[in-house]
Structures are given as C-alpha cells and as structure tokens.
Amino acid sequence: MNIRCEDYDHVTVVGLSGELNAETSSAFRTQIESRLARKVRFFVIDLEHTTFMDSKGLESLLWVQEQCDEQLGQVRLCKPDETCAKILHVTRLDGRFDVFSDVSEAVKTMR
C-alpha cells in the first residue's frame, strides 16, 4: 500500500492506494499518529485507489475516528471504489462515517 498525506489548513487528506489490511494497517496508523502528535484533528481518508479492506483495515478506520472523537475532531471518507463501498455497506460502517464523492467537498465540511 502507498500512503500520501497532504495538509489543507487544519485538515489532513490521507490518500491510500492498494489494500488496507492486516499487513498495511500499522503503516496507516503510524501516519495518523504522527499527525495526531502535531495536533491535527481533522482527516479526510481518500479511498479512491484503495482496492480492498479487511477487518484490520476497517478497525483502523474506526480507530482514527475514535482518536479524532477524543480530540473533538472529525473524519470523512472519500471516493470508496465499488468494492470498498460494498464492504462499508455490508459491515454497516457506511452509517458511522460521512462518505463524500469529492475530496474538496469533504474538506469544506470540516469545522
């Protein structure tokens, strides 16, 4: 998996390519932890190029949400492909996250 982070004012957009799974979730968490240490509280997770998520990947997304909730921050998911959208729907996590089709729209909703 490839992880890229871009900062827009007070929001960090984390773009993931490949699979978010048991092998890659620790690298994802490390990136988030480094931003949290710098007091970033608002994240958009761009899933456009994420091809699959397993239970560990889903757990990582929930972990980010918990960390942000503790800091009074927010998490948005953006552009999940058909497979990831189905995984989010089947696990009912699409109801736990706000999901957007455009990164800039997701960033605009952050307070």
Side-chain angles (χ1 to χ4, degrees):
M1 176 178 54
N2 185 22
I3 304 170
R4 74 169 171 22
C5 297
E6 298 176 35
D7 296 317
Y8 296 90
D9 295 322
H10 63 289
V11 179
T12 293
V13 176
V14 181
L16 306 175
S17 348
E19 296 186 6
L20 181 57
N21 58 29
E23 293 178 20
T24 60
S25 62
S26 63
F28 171 68
R29 284 184 182 218
T30 299
Q31 288 292 324
I32 298 296
E33 286 173 339
S34 72
R35 296 295 193 283
L36 290 168
R38 294 188 328 215
K39 306 296 183 204
V40 173
R41 302 179 301 139
F42 299 94
F43 292 91
V44 173
I45 311 298
D46 184 354
L47 300 171
E48 181 177 17
H49 300 290
T50 306
T51 56
F52 181 77
M53 294 182 288
D54 68 5
S55 61
K56 199 69 168 171
L58 295 170
E59 182 182 297
S60 294
L61 293 177
L62 289 169
W63 172 82
V64 174
Q65 187 177 51
E66 290 170 8
Q67 298 303 306
C68 289
D69 286 349
E70 288 176 11
Q71 303 297 318
L72 303 176
Q74 298 173 329
V75 177
R76 305 282 191 257
L77 302 183
C78 192
K79 299 188 273 185
D81 75 352
E82 187 177 332
T83 301
C84 291
K86 190 172 193 172
I87 291 167
L88 290 168
H89 178 71
V90 168
T91 59
R92 298 182 185 207
L93 290 179
D94 56 349
R96 293 268 317 255
F97 293 96
D98 291 325
V99 181
F100 291 80
S101 59
D102 182 73
V103 171
S104 61
E105 288 302 313
V107 168
K108 287 179 190 176
T109 67
M110 302 291 205
R111 334 181 202 109

